[in-house]
């Protein structure tokens, strides 16, 4: 089992999650983060920290797509362990539907 980041993170990217992860298993893309499923210890502390409700346990139904995406990009995106300033318009993107189709970027972020 692992926790996964879903498309609610896209363009919100608050990074509150990285500060609390005891094993530093978040990886940064251009406009979202992912969790490395083999490194996550399922502690669950990151889930309530996300203002965009973008983190879910993979035991919830319908998360297969996001688990695959987290596993794929955690291999190549850089590690992030320190909170950064969120995008200025992050609040405007909370809960917006269809963000993956319109805005997902496979480009890596800056990392720490
Ligand atoms: Fe890190 Fe725990 Fe969240 Fe997994 S569940 S990503 S170990 S804080
Ligand atoms: Fe994304 Fe939420 Fe973390 S918006 S960066 S999963 S705090």
């Amino acid at each position: 089992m692992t926790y996964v980041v879903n498309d609610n993170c896209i363009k919100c990217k608050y990074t509150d999650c990285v500060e609390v992860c005891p094993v530093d298993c978040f990886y940064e893309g251009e406009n979202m983060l992912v969790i490395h499923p083999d490194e996550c210890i399922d502690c669950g502390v990151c889930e309530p920290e996300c203002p965009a409700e973008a983190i879910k346990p993979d035991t919830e139904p319908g998360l297969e797509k996001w688990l695959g995406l987290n596993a794929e990009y955690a291999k190549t995106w850089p590690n992030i362990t320190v909170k950064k300033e969120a995008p200025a318009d992050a609040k405007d993107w909370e809960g917006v539907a269809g963000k993956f189709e319109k805005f997902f970027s496979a480009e890596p972020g800056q990392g720490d």
Side-chain angles (χ1 to χ4, degrees), residues 12-106:
C12 290
K13 206 182 177 185
Y14 287 110
T15 66
D16 299 69
C17 52
V18 308
E19 293 263 284
V20 298
C21 180
V23 293
D24 295 341
C25 64
F26 282 90
Y27 294 81
E28 184 182 11
E30 185 179 14
N31 62 17
M32 76 175 286
L33 304 193
V34 291
I35 292 170
H36 196 310
D38 298 334
E39 296 175 1
C40 173
I41 58 169
D42 309 327
C43 70
V45 299
C46 57
E47 183 182 5
E49 295 299 321
C50 176
E53 298 186 13
I55 303 176
K56 303 287 175 200
D58 74 347
T59 45
E60 282 195 11
L63 288 179
E64 295 79 10
K65 170 181 174 178
W66 303 114
L67 179 57
L69 184 136
N70 279 241
E72 181 178 354
Y73 289 99
K75 285 187 216 152
T76 54
W77 287 353
N79 192 229
I80 173 170
T81 63
V82 180
K83 181 173 165 58
K84 301 181 174 179
E85 200 170 331
D89 60 351
K91 193 100 190 138
D92 298 341
W93 293 105
E94 273 185 35
V96 173
K99 289 197 286 184
F100 180 76
E101 291 74 15
K102 288 191 198 132
F103 303 116
F104 174 72
S105 167

